[in-house]
């Protein structure tokens, strides 16, 4: 692999390989928690923290972890950091913890994190991995906040809890319900497709973008 | 008894795991292209969900809670599920090769399926008893099956249509899912109607 500058690794995650819009990883929290912009932001920052720490740790341990059991090892590392984040939220942001609910422990199985461990952290240096973690995490945060912003403004007439249009126009509350989540997310990806004119290599739904690809025997791509 | 039937119905229709709770969206979008793989995947998920609940419920109540280490829930549950999936795969391979051939390919994917971990954690948070937990898991799995089967039918129709260039692939799939979620919203309140509030 060619040597890349630290900045380009960081920017790679935010724009070029945005984990949510381009790689389409971690779709569950993207739709579930983005009923409010603040929840999206909080979720994104939690993912960033876990992703950065787990990338650093896995990159440090890459020579020690035996290749055959690496996926379980990664999961343990990730689960440990998720537990730490859970504690931090309970102590300092109990409201956010309550509204994110089950999706905090579910960061463990967020495919962005396992995917980056498998695709980046176990091949690159510690600093590069940390940069990749921060970049990918911020890309995810940006995406979640954006989706949350659209859904909250149109669906509830507020943004980050501040009343904007709620008194002037009746909010179209469907957008903060389940169908709105799928709809806005789909629309955002379509907009991204249009902006990048399909110039970005799409990996979504391919075995390449799947963190469990190495363990998967379904080589014919039945999941595609 | 009535209570258990109610739990299953609620999990299948009202709180459908994909379309209402947003658990397991990755396989829902990824594996739903063909009907047979959709059915295979969902059956494997249902099976693992029931098994994982049967394993994690006693662990929470007899091991973690009495020792005051409930906070280890996340780590313990994911490890138990991962080990369980491996075990099921080995057993199926040895004793039921035909079943392994049809379901086995989906098993490694299930370890990182958030629906399985999610339903295990939800069972504990909602305070269900052991039998009720198993029923809830089976119901959630069946709800997943229902959503997958309907959606794979929808997707086969989408395949042959003329879609704007930027909507091809993921976006149109998500928008179709949004319409399906809209349909499932009609089920809210159905339980009270059938069983009486």
């Amino acid at each position: 692999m060619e040597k890349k500058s630290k900045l380009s690794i960081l920017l790679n995650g935010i724009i070029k390989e945005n984990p949510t819009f381009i790689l389409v990883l971690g779709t569950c929290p993207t739709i579930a928690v983005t009923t409010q912009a603040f929840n999206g932001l909080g979720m994104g920052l939690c993912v960033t923290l876990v992703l950065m720490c787990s990338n650093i740790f896995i990159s440090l341990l890459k020579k020690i972890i035996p290749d055959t059991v690496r996926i379980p090892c990664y999961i343990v590392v990730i689960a440990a950091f998720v537990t730490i984040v859970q504690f931090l939220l309970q102590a300092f942001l109990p409201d956010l913890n309550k509204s994110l609910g089950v999706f905090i422990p579910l960061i463990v199985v967020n495919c962005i994190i396992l995917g980056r461990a498998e695709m980046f952290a176990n091949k690159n240096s510690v600093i590069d991995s940390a940069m990749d973690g921060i970049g990918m995490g911020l890309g995810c945060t940006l995406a979640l906040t954006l989706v949350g912003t659209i859904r909250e403004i149109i669906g509830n007439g507020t943004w980050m809890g501040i009343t904007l249009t709620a008194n002037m126009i009746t909010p179209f509350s469907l957008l903060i319900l389940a169908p709105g989540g799928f709809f806005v997310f789909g629309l955002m990806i379509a907009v991204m497709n249009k902006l990048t004119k399909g110039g970005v290599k799409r990996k979504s739904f391919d075995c390449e973008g799947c963190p469990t690809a190495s363990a998967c025997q379904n080589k014919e791509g039945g999941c595609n | 008894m009535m209570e258990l039937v109610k739990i299953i119905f609620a999990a299948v229709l009202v709180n459908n795991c994909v379309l209402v709770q947003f658990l397991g969206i990755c396989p829902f979008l990824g594996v739903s292209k063909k009907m047979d793989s959709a059915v295979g995947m969902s059956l494997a998920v249902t099976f693992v969900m029931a098994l994982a609940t049967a394993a994690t419920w006693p662990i929470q109540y007899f091991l973690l809670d009495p020792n005051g280490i409930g906070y280890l829930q996340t780590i313990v549950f994911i490890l138990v599920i991962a080990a369980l999936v491996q075990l099921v795969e080995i057993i199926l391979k040895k004793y039921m090769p035909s079943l392994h051939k049809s379901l086995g390919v989906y098993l490694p994917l299930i370890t990182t399926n958030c629906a399985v971990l999610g339903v295990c954690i939800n069972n504990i948070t909602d305070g269900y008893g052991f039998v009720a937990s198993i029923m809830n898991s089976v119901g959630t799995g069946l709800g997943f099956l229902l959503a997958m089967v309907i959606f794979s039918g929808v997707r086969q129709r989408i395949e042959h249509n003329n879609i704007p260039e930027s909507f091809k692939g993921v976006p149109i799939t998500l928008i179709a899912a949004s319409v399906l979620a809209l349909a499932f919203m009609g089920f809210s309140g159905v339980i009270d109607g059938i069983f009486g509030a």
Side-chain angles (χ1 to χ4, degrees):
Chain A
M1 189 185 279
E2 63 193 287
K3 199 80 185 147
K4 286 190 210 153
S5 76
K6 309 280 177 261
L7 190 67
S8 76
I9 295 175
L10 191 73
L11 288 178
N12 183 41
I14 299 178
I15 301 159
K16 224 173 96 195
E17 285 191 10
N18 187 298
T20 307
F21 290 144
I22 308 287
L23 302 181
V24 200
L25 293 173
T27 39
C28 304
T30 309
I31 298 170
V33 305
T34 51
T35 50
Q36 289 175 7
F38 182 70
N39 287 354
L41 182 68
M43 185 72 193
L45 291 180
C46 293
V47 170
T48 310
L49 191 64
V50 174
L51 189 54
M52 185 185 73
C53 297
S54 71
N55 259 7
I56 292 175
F57 236 76
I58 287 163
S59 171
L60 279 172
L61 294 174
K62 64 178 178 252
K63 293 224 168 65
I64 303 170
I65 296 176
D67 207 36
T68 41
V69 290
R70 63 182 192 287
I71 302 272
C73 292
Y74 297 162
I75 291 178
V76 176
V77 172
I78 296 166
F81 285 114
V82 170
T83 310
I84 294 171
V85 167
Q86 218 171 344
F87 274 139
L88 289 174
L89 281 184
Q90 274 166 13
F92 297 110
L93 292 164
D95 289 342
L96 184 65
N97 186 44
K98 216 171 167 186
S99 51
L100 296 183
V102 73
F103 286 93
I104 290 295
L106 286 182
I107 295 177
V108 178
V109 283
N110 190 320
C111 18
I112 299 174
I113 297 172
L114 198 60
R116 290 327 283 176
E118 173 81 5
M119 284 187 281
F120 198 94
N122 72 347
K123 298 189 197 94
N124 291 285
S125 74
V126 177
I127 297 172
D128 284 0
S129 303
M131 281 301 176
D132 180 71
I134 297 171
M136 284 284 165
L138 289 181
C140 174
T141 311
L142 211 67
L144 289 185
T145 315
L146 199 61
V147 176
T149 301
I150 295 173
R151 288 181 70 187
E152 196 184 346
I153 291 179
I154 301 178
N156 203 24
T158 57
W159 187 68
M160 297 271 181
I162 308 161
T163 309
L164 291 179
T165 56
N167 300 328
M168 292 174 268
I169 312 158
T170 314
F172 183 52
S173 59
L174 193 65
L175 274 197
I176 56 170
L177 297 173
F182 287 106
F183 186 73
V184 173
F185 188 32
L187 225 52
M188 289 304 297
I189 296 179
V191 169
M192 285 298 274
N193 276 354
K194 188 79 188 165
L195 290 180
T196 54
K197 294 195 177 68
V200 180
K201 198 180 151 216
R202 300 194 57 81
K203 292 181 188 166
S204 55
F205 300 165
D206 283 352
C207 290
E208 239 182 299
C210 175
T212 41
S214 58
C216 183
Q217 301 143 339
N218 195 10
K219 291 294 180 211
E220 289 139 30
C223 63
N224 191 11
Chain B
M1 192 59 215
M2 212 52 194
E3 201 57 34
L4 297 180
V5 177
K6 204 168 156 182
I7 288 176
I8 289 200
F9 266 94
V12 174
L13 296 176
V14 182
N15 291 321
N16 187 286
C17 89
V18 183
L19 298 166
V20 179
Q21 295 189 57
F22 311 110
L23 297 172
I25 292 179
C26 296
F28 176 67
L29 299 176
V31 199
S32 58
K33 221 170 190 174
K34 276 183 264 149
M35 182 70 88
D36 53 343
S37 52
V39 173
M41 177 76 184
S42 334
L43 288 178
V45 166
T46 312
F47 182 60
V48 171
M49 265 181 188
L51 219 56
T53 307
T56 50
W57 195 92
I59 288 178
Q60 176 77 26
Y61 283 102
F62 298 121
L63 194 69
L64 297 182
D65 283 350
N67 294 310
I69 45 173
Y71 59 87
L72 287 180
Q73 193 191 47
T74 315
I75 299 185
V76 172
F77 278 20
I78 187 74
L79 284 180
V80 168
I81 292 169
L84 206 65
V85 170
Q86 281 301 318
L87 193 71
V88 169
E89 206 195 340
I90 293 170
I91 293 174
L92 280 187
K93 208 173 190 172
K94 180 98 170 81
Y95 295 106
M96 284 172 260
S98 59
L99 194 64
H100 179 259
K101 224 173 169 187
S102 52
L103 295 189
V105 287
Y106 306 107
L107 284 173
L109 294 171
I110 289 174
T111 321
T112 52
N113 183 338
C114 49
V116 177
L117 182 62
V119 80
C120 289
I121 295 175
N122 275 340
N123 280 334
I124 306 291
T125 340
D126 294 347
Y128 284 132
F130 186 68
V131 181
S133 290
I134 303 266
M135 287 299 150
N136 188 36
S137 303
V138 172
T140 309
L142 292 178
F144 186 67
L145 175 75
L146 182 69
M148 287 283 270
V149 169
I150 296 176
F151 199 54
S152 71
V154 173
R155 280 191 76 176
Q156 276 164 359
R157 295 291 176 106
I158 294 177
E159 287 290 289
H160 307 293
N161 278 323
N162 193 11
I163 300 156
E165 193 56 42
S166 21
F167 276 89
K168 271 189 183 137
V170 192
I172 194 70
T173 315
L174 279 165
I175 287 172
S178 139
V179 177
L180 193 56
L182 197 62
F184 264 76
M185 272 179 71
F187 284 120
S188 57
V190 148
I191 294 295
D192 291 344
I194 298 175
F195 297 97

